Amino acid sequence: MSGKRGFVLRDALENDIAMGVFKAGERLDEASLAQRFGVSRTPIREALLQLATTGLVELRPHRGAVVAQVGPSRLMEMFEVMAELEGMCGRLAARRADSSDLSALATAQGECRAAAEANDTDGYYYANERFHHAIYQASRNGFLAEQATLMHRRLKPYRRLQLRVRGRLQTSLAEHDGILAAIERGDAEAASSLLKAHIIIQGERFGDLVANLAEHSA
């Protein structure tokens, strides 16, 4: 599977799962998907295997690939871990980021701003991903960056769905501004606290996400 085609297939399936096209527990039929995307079953199988490594899809004996079921309590636990990992990355980035790291962060934030102003949810989703990965890179801790990236992948469809909540793009953008400013001035504790608050879902935000999940699963 070529890199670009593989990304397109994986991203399309991920988005369909996030938007409820495929429901939790539903079987993902390779033949049907191959026909839909106009490809052979091999790249579909590879895309499903990649989604399985993130936990979004489960591979079951005699059933093949099915959409994983993640309950609200499990989802909250996952976001709690993600918040801690991002907080660690932010703390280290504020202490270790060099000019190239700051430039990468500013560029990604500029792309987030342009997408938010255009109300382009998908565009913001990809720019937001670049912003967070730039923070991981700036931490200068390869192992931490690997773990944060793995958890980021696991939560991608839910983070994507979060961005569809009314007003979330503008709120996320403002939070990014604060995070970037803290890293630029080398304020490790502020960067860590702001990133944790940016990631964690609780109260109304968690209710909004659960409501969106329920709506797209209905």
Side-chain angles (χ1 to χ4, degrees), residues 107-117 123-124 127-129 131 173 176:
T107 297
Q109 177 64 344
E111 294 169 347
C112 285
R113 191 176 310 283
E117 289 174 353
Y124 190 94
N128 177 68
E129 187 172 53
F131 180 82
L173 183 69
H176 279 193

Side-chain angles (χ1 to χ4, degrees), residues 122-136:
D122 286 334
Y124 190 94
Y125 169 76
Y126 296 116
N128 177 68
E129 187 172 53
R130 289 189 288 274
F131 180 82
H132 284 272
H133 281 286
I135 295 174
Y136 306 163

Side-chain angles (χ1 to χ4, degrees), residues 3 22 37 41 58 78 81 85 89-90 99 103-104 113 117 150 158 170 178-179 181 183 189 195-197:
F22 299 114
F37 289 105
R41 294 177 62 170
E58 296 176 356
M78 291 162 67
V81 172
L85 290 172
C89 287
S99 59
S103 177
R113 191 176 310 283
E117 289 174 353
L150 286 172
Y158 307 106
Q170 290 69 30
I179 292 164
I183 293 174
E189 291 310 310
L195 267 163
K196 288 180 183 179

Side-chain angles (χ1 to χ4, degrees), residues 60 62 115 123 169 186 188 210 216:
R60 298 181 180 175
H62 311 300
L169 291 189
V210 171
H216 290 299

Side-chain angles (χ1 to χ4, degrees), residues 30-46:
E30 291 180 7
S32 298
L33 291 172
Q35 183 176 19
R36 172 187 167 188
F37 289 105
V39 297
S40 70
R41 294 177 62 170
T42 298
I44 295 296
R45 186 176 301 116
E46 292 176 3

Side-chain angles (χ1 to χ4, degrees), residues 163-202:
L163 294 175
R164 298 184 184 276
V165 173
R166 182 179 300 175
R168 181 56 192 161
L169 291 189
Q170 290 69 30
T171 302
S172 175
L173 183 69
E175 291 169 355
H176 279 193
D177 283 336
I179 292 164
L180 178 56
I183 293 174
E184 288 177 330
R185 67 175 182 267
D187 190 337
E189 291 310 310
S192 176
S193 296
L194 289 169
L195 267 163
K196 288 180 183 179
H198 178 62
I199 297 300
I200 199 68
I201 54 173
Q202 54 190 350

